[in-house]
Amino acid sequence: MAIDPLKILFVASEVEGLIKTGGLADVARALPRYLAQQGHDVRIILPFYKTLKRRNEARLLASRWLPTPAGQEDIGYRLHQLELDGFPVYLIDCPRYFERAEPYAEHNQAYGDNGERFAFLAAATLHATEQLGFAPDIVHCNDWHTGLLPLLLKTRHGHNPFFAQTRSVISIHNAAFQGVFDRQQFWAVPEIQDYEQRINYDYGHINLLKCGVLYADKINAVSPNYASELLTHLGAHGMASVFQQRAADLRGILNGCDYQDWDPATDPHLPANYDAKALRGKRLCRAQLQQDAGLPTSDDPVYGMVCRLTEQKGVHLLIPALESFLRHKVQLVIVGSGDPTLAGQLQALAARFPTRLAFINTYDDRLAHLVEAGADIFLMPSLFEPCGLNQMYSLAYGTLPLVRAVGGLKDTVVDWDVAEQATGFCFTDPTANGLLDAMRRSLLYFLQEPERFARVQHTAMQTRFDWPDSVAQYVQMYRDALGR
């Protein structure tokens, strides 16, 4: 049990096991779970989406009206609850905002009222928390979706005795997405008027991430290197001056890896389990991956990639590099969805190289695990990567990550040339030629130094990024925010 346990309200737009579009969901489940295991009183709040898993298990707690400015119609919402990993998850139910086919967008097009939707989430979160009688020590916000919460704590609830001891922190999982919306969407949050000059974007627009960074008591970037990058004009996505202003309160805490879900020795998604002492099962996973991907059974090196199809993930660097790389005796399995233009280019390449490239235009959890286990080398040529989790999974599965040395990738992967500490391959030049050189380099070492490749695999599988280590740093940040 924790000494001096904290009451923590964790607010996120997605949580793995309930709804997921990216790595935020993994963190939003794992971090509260490990905080609770250490004895802290943790509660999660997220929207009651139409597509939420286990939706039928949620029980109704209350129906309430969220007060809005004079002359405006109050907004009704219902509060539901279900259990996840032994602690409560509260669900804000408002059909006008969350009864939709997807959380943020449809057909690659963001909902036009996302600013209004997540402003409502922020205001309703604090209103519902007070209705529940749960006065948190810390409100832990995540990304732009929750960026209004720190401002509301200091304005609307600044003299509310219920929140007198409450402090806020915000985690930056990806500062490229800042939540910039027309001022008119925030009609239910009149407090913005007095702070608009600080949090505006341009031409009457409001930047929600900027709001969170300026008004949270502490800010966390999800890796030490990403925290450093956010202080630079090159790495801050246009917000360098804002992060520099708050530099004294900025931390960089590396995400942990949830080895309960990502362990090749126990993974239920695999046809055979294995560990660092006995890799025979990995060969069976490779054969299954080749079969499922429609590639011929072969001893040629297998490269894997699981990602959203976006420029951030370096897919636009990979496509021209593949024109040359696929002429070697290799195989590549790519699993992912996103930008339809990138998807079309990958489909065209797969049609030209049907025995070398398999592109599966979807996200499938079982396939994601199978790629991690069945590939020899995992590609992450990201333009930027705040933390990254797939490289941690790859290390655990003995699949050497090939990464661009940015953000959390630089913090977690040691290049082949660093002798005994090596766990993968790194490159720095954000070009197709830079990636192609790194891929050819990894291919050469795979073919010519099999004994060392096996040793590096073993080192990789011994590398751990355990959540309890990260949780200790989070708790210290919480206590610093509280002045304890």
Side-chain angles (χ1 to χ4, degrees), residues 70-190:
Q72 301 283 358
E73 178 187 357
D74 289 352
I75 306 174
Y77 72 92
R78 291 181 295 178
L79 186 65
H80 302 262
Q81 178 182 337
L82 54 74
E83 301 295 316
L84 184 70
D85 300 325
F87 54 85
V89 176
Y90 301 122
L91 305 156
I92 303 289
D93 180 10
C94 184
R96 68 188 276 188
Y97 291 134
F98 304 125
E99 194 80 11
R100 304 188 185 185
E102 299 292 342
Y104 319 120
E106 287 182 53
H107 311 299
N108 221 36
Q109 185 69 41
Y111 294 125
D113 62 345
N114 272 346
E116 184 175 333
R117 296 172 72 219
F118 288 99
F120 165 77
L121 176 67
T125 289
L126 295 178
H127 187 263
T129 302
E130 191 168 7
Q131 301 298 305
L132 289 165
F134 178 70
D137 297 303
I138 294 291
V139 176
H140 190 146
C141 310
N142 292 273
D143 279 348
W144 68 263
H145 319 88
T146 56
L148 275 175
L149 277 159
L151 177 64
L152 289 175
L153 279 168
K154 287 181 164 61
T155 55
R156 181 175 301 186
H157 296 283
H159 299 289
N160 183 343
F162 187 81
F163 292 108
Q165 305 304 316
T166 300
R167 301 293 179 266
S168 65
V169 306
I170 188 167
S171 281
I172 311 297
H173 300 267
N174 192 336
F177 300 101
Q178 297 177 8
V180 178
F181 302 101
D182 187 281
R183 168 71 182 80
Q184 300 305 313
Q185 292 205 29
F186 301 101
W187 56 270
V189 190

Side-chain angles (χ1 to χ4, degrees), residues 18 21 35 57 122 159 161 223 258 268 300 320 368 416 444 476:
L18 299 175
T21 69
L35 285 164
E57 298 177 27
H159 299 289
S223 71
D258 195 343
D300 295 338
W416 181 277
L444 186 68
Q476 185 59 56

Side-chain angles (χ1 to χ4, degrees), residues 181-184 196 200-206:
F181 302 101
D182 187 281
R183 168 71 182 80
Q184 300 305 313
E196 192 166 344
N200 74 341
Y201 183 75
D202 209 353
Y203 303 108
H205 286 67
I206 299 296

